[in-house]
């Protein structure tokens, strides 16, 4: 009988210890689900050589034109992180006030523009999808639905009137054959409601693979270094030549459709830091 009583006490004690351990592990898992942050770093360059110096760095296109930028800006929105299983976390999707950002080379710090994303679910991320410009769905929410970012875009010179909408990409500078002396201005963006106005939609979404996993946690804030190769502007999938017919273009005409298709291919993730 004493042996049975001893064994009974042993099993009761073991069961209580096991339940306590499971409860402790469950608490740990809850703590481990605390969201973290992630940083996107955009570095603009030519041929993946970073840090375009405005009014100074000169590139020669495949068609032999020299060009340099005096203004280089674009809008990034609808950032979506994709994990190892293919599940997506959409960061303030179609919410420009909280999820749209302006990359401006004039504001780069040591050649880098920083976008800091907060409250990112703990996870291992393998890809990011970014929007170049503002989607029609977001724009059609109306001015009241994005008043903060609209004002920011207006201040930065990245918007026309509300009826025309946002400037997605603003490229200005000089070009020429022997030297860059002739001014150009290519402002790409939608003309309001593209369906109603029967105009091209220049908003593009681009998926970028990470060379290494971005491990977001409360303790780790990954930094994703994205290179933008502005050589794609004139030397991308369609080789372009600037001339008097297109060097002062605004909106979404056929030249700017080609520009947009070119520069939507300019991004790649160079590396990821898990610090």
């Amino acid at each position: 009988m004493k042996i049975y009583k001893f064994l009974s006490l042993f099993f009761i004690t073991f069961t209580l210890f096991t339940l306590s351990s499971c409860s402790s592990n469950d608490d740990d898992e809850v703590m481990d689900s605390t969201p973290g942050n992630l940083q996107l770093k955009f570095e603009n360059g030519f041929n993946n050589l970073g840090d375009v110096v405005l009014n100074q760095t000169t590139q020669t296109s495949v068609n032999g034109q020299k060009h340099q930028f005096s203004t280089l800006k674009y809008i990034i929105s609808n950032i979506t992180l994709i994990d190892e299983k293919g599940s997506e976390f959409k960061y303030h999707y179609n919410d420009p006030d909280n999820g749209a950002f302006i990359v401006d080379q004039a504001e780069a710090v040591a050649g880098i523009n920083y976008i800091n994303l907060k409250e990112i679910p703990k996870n291992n991320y393998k890809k990011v999808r970014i929007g170049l410009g503002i989607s029609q769905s977001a724009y059609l929410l109306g001015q009241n639905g994005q008043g903060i970012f609209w004002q920011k875009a207006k201040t930065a010179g990245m918007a026309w009137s509300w009826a025309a909408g946002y400037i997605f990409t603003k490229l200005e500078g000089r070009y020429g054959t022997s030297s860059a002396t002739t001014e150009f201005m290519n402002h790409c963006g939608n003309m309001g409601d593209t369906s109603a106005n029967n105009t091209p939609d220049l908003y593009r979404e681009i998926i970028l693979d990470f060379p290494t996993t971005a491990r977001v946690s409360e303790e780790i804030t990954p930094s994703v270094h994205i290179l933008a190769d502005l050589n794609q502007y004139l030397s991308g999938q369609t080789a372009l030549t600037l001339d008097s017919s297109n060097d002062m273009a605004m909106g979404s005409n056929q030249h700017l459709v080609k520009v947009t298709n070119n520069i939507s291919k300019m991004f790649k993730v160079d590396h990821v830091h898990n610090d």
Side-chain angles (χ1 to χ4, degrees):
M1 291 295 293
K2 289 183 179 180
I3 293 175
Y4 290 127
K5 288 182 179 179
F6 173 78
L7 290 174
S8 296
L9 288 172
F10 173 78
F11 283 121
I12 291 171
T13 302
F14 178 78
T15 301
L16 290 173
F17 176 78
T18 302
L19 290 174
S20 175
S21 297
C22 290
S23 176
S24 176
N25 288 339
D26 289 343
D27 290 342
D28 289 342
E29 288 178 5
V30 170
M31 290 178 63
D32 285 345
S33 67
T34 303
N37 302 318
L38 182 140
Q39 183 181 74
L40 300 180
K41 298 164 59 176
F42 285 84
E43 183 173 3
N44 297 312
F46 284 119
N47 284 329
N48 296 323
L49 298 175
D51 194 7
V52 168
V53 179
L54 298 177
N55 297 304
Q56 184 173 325
T57 307
T58 302
Q59 176 72 349
T60 302
S61 73
V62 293
N63 286 341
Q65 279 192 327
K66 297 184 182 302
H67 58 286
Q68 60 181 225
F69 296 113
S70 59
T71 299
L72 168 53
K73 303 180 186 183
Y74 49 87
I75 293 175
I76 296 295
S77 68
N78 284 351
I79 297 167
T80 300
L81 297 170
I82 304 170
D83 69 17
E84 295 172 317
K85 297 179 180 179
S87 298
E88 298 183 353
F89 170 68
K90 296 184 176 182
Y91 188 79
H92 298 292
Y93 202 82
N94 286 332
D95 176 10
D97 279 354
N98 296 293
F101 308 88
I102 298 171
V103 175
D104 183 350
Q105 188 63 18
E107 296 180 354
V109 178
I112 303 292
N113 280 268
Y114 297 87
I115 294 177
N116 296 307
L117 310 181
K118 301 183 181 300
E119 295 296 310
I120 305 300
K122 178 186 177 182
N123 211 332
N124 296 326
Y125 297 100
K126 296 292 292 183
K127 301 179 181 182
V128 65
R129 184 168 62 241
I130 58 175
L132 181 62
I134 297 292
S135 73
Q136 278 284 282
S137 296
Y139 171 73
L140 293 176
L141 292 174
Q143 193 169 352
N144 291 336
Q146 52 210 287
I148 296 173
F149 185 72
W150 175 253
Q151 187 55 51
K152 184 183 295 185
K154 289 284 286 184
T155 301
M158 293 298 286
W160 294 297
S161 67
W162 177 253
Y166 292 97
I167 299 171
F168 295 171
T169 307
K170 177 176 276 192
L171 304 174
E172 297 178 358
R174 298 177 183 277
Y175 74 97
T177 303
S178 58
S179 61
T181 56
T182 303
E183 291 187 357
F184 75 87
M185 179 181 70
N186 280 185
H187 296 180
C188 306
N190 286 346
M191 293 289 95
D193 185 334
T194 58
S195 295
N197 297 332
N198 194 29
T199 54
D201 184 355
L202 298 192
Y203 173 73
R204 299 287 184 270
E205 290 195 346
I206 304 115
I207 295 179
L208 304 174
D209 293 326
F210 294 167
T212 55
T213 302
R215 305 182 185 281
V216 174
S217 69
E218 186 179 15
E219 297 79 21
I220 299 174
T221 299
S223 179
V224 179
H225 195 135
I226 299 173
L227 297 180
D229 176 14
L230 271 301
N231 192 53
Q232 296 294 316
Y233 169 43
L234 298 181
S235 304
Q237 67 179 32
T238 302
L240 300 176
T241 301
L242 291 171
D243 56 38
S244 59
S245 70
N246 59 27
D247 61 8
M248 291 291 164
M250 295 187 293
S252 58
N253 65 25
Q254 192 55 41
H255 167 71
L256 296 179
V257 171
K258 293 176 181 177
V259 168
T260 297
N261 289 338
N262 278 0
I263 61 177
S264 65
K265 304 294 192 299
M266 71 181 178
F267 300 102
K268 81 167 188 178
V269 177
D270 185 68
H271 60 272
V272 175
H273 286 296
N274 286 298
D275 297 330

